Amino acid sequence: MIFAGIDIGSVSTKAVVIQGDRRHMDMNPTGWSPRTAGEELISRLLEGQGCRFEDLGGLFVTGYGRISFNLGGEVATEIKCHARGVAALVPEARMIIDIGGQDSKVICIDAAGRVLDFAMNDKCAAGTGKFLQIMANSMGLDVSELGCLEDPGASRQINSMCTVFAESEVIGMLAAGAERAGIIAGLHQSVARRVAALARRLGVKGDVVFTGGVARNQGVARALEAELGLPLVVPGDCQYTGALGAALLARDQFGPRA
Ligand code: ADP
């Protein structure tokens, strides 16, 4: 039987298909239409496995665009899906820090992957992937380049709490001749400070797993480790944990009982 999960995010849409022991995954930019992004992605992924939508034994859809998905399936919150996905990848995980395009969240889970508590910042772009995209753009870079271009030894503090003012601050620093590497390290630190404060509110305990597209940025991972004073586990498929959790929830609900 085949099960699938789709995570329609603000920046990217991710899908995971589970077929026996095998997992297939892919992603698309979400673009202007979350519905089209989700539907095109799952059709392409299934086609690649020689399957059709009708062959699915179960589907869960999550992410901010989940309500726009029209082809069917169950919906689940991102919190529940991330918890399920991370528990499968890192059984020792007790805290998840997920930084996506438009929000950052911290989730506490138990040994079975059940959600015990969570905290979320979805009110302000600072501390999210969008903040880093805007800053990368103002420095003539792609967001994927930030991690390897930073110089933590020359970090420049970013004082503005607001994304618009922080962008002006970065532009001002560049105009004054500051090196990009130090500014980038300061930006990573600013994201890490905000998200670490969210984590401390819940009480940091157990193994901490870092997920979401921003976990692909090793500079943010480094800064978060320094803020929290502990090592983070970053799974190889860190951007897919929500979609993976959704696919596993589909299998839990519709798959054969063990
Ligand atoms: P959403 O679910 O809201 O679409 P994601 O979890 O997919 O968000 O994360 C999107 C964010 O991940 C982007 O805003 C960007 O900051 C970051 N990102 C995406 N790809 C990369 C990459 N290759 N390297 C570093 N950061 C990345």
Side-chain angles (χ1 to χ4, degrees):
M1 279 178 98
I2 311 164
F3 303 95
I6 309 175
D7 175 3
I8 307 179
S10 60
V11 172
S12 55
T13 296
K14 287 77 65 178
V16 173
V17 168
I18 301 178
Q19 215 171 357
D21 289 339
R22 284 178 299 151
R23 288 173 191 164
H24 311 279
M25 49 195 79
D26 202 355
M27 75 170 89
N28 258 355
T30 300
W32 67 273
S33 169
R35 184 179 64 79
T36 311
E39 294 176 1
E40 280 183 1
L41 178 63
I42 192 65
S43 306
R44 191 175 77 225
L45 191 54
L46 287 171
E47 214 174 281
Q49 306 315 311
C51 306
R52 291 166 308 154
F53 195 78
E54 301 70 54
D55 299 328
L56 280 177
L59 166 72
F60 266 70
V61 187
T62 188
Y64 103 105
R66 60 185 179 268
I67 43 166
S68 65
F69 188 79
N70 256 343
L71 296 180
E74 310 292 316
V75 293
T77 66
E78 289 163 75
I79 305 287
K80 192 172 173 183
C81 292
H82 281 290
R84 181 69 181 90
V86 168
L89 292 176
V90 188
E92 315 76 40
R94 293 296 174 270
M95 176 173 264
I96 304 163
I97 296 180
D98 182 86
I99 313 184
Q102 69 176 10
D103 64 30
S104 40
K105 36 193 173 288
V106 180
I107 309 164
C108 297
I109 60 173
D110 67 12
R114 281 182 298 247
V115 177
L116 300 175
D117 203 357
F118 73 92
M120 193 159 173
N121 158 37
D122 58 357
K123 300 279 181 285
C124 168
T128 69
K130 232 0 189 308
F131 172 83
L132 292 170
Q133 282 183 244
I134 292 167
M135 299 307 152
N137 206 21
S138 64
M139 288 184 286
L141 297 169
D142 185 80
V143 73
S144 60
E145 297 177 282
L146 295 180
C148 54
L149 288 179
E150 70 161 6
D151 179 1
S155 183
R156 303 285 301 244
Q157 173 135 349
I158 309 294
N159 294 308
S160 308
M161 300 294 275
C162 157
T163 305
V164 176
F165 290 138
E167 189 183 17
S168 305
E169 201 179 335
V170 166
I171 292 168
M173 284 179 180
L174 290 169
E179 293 292 333
R180 280 194 309 200
I183 299 175
I184 296 169
L187 291 167
H188 291 160
Q189 222 167 349
S190 131
V191 170
R193 255 200 320 269
R194 281 179 163 262
V195 180
L198 207 58
R200 279 193 212 101
R201 251 171 52 196
L202 296 186
V204 182
K205 47 194 166 288
D207 285 17
V208 184
V209 177
F210 184 22
T211 64
V214 176
R216 296 174 67 182
N217 179 331
Q218 67 267 37
V220 177
R222 177 205 55 76
L224 249 181
E225 287 184 332
E227 275 293 325
L228 294 172
L230 49 82
L232 299 175
V233 180
V234 183
D237 296 321
C238 58
Q239 203 167 357
Y240 285 97
T241 49
L244 171 65
L248 291 169
L249 287 173
R251 193 179 66 184
D252 295 344
Q253 186 158 326
F254 300 107
R257 299 272 157 227

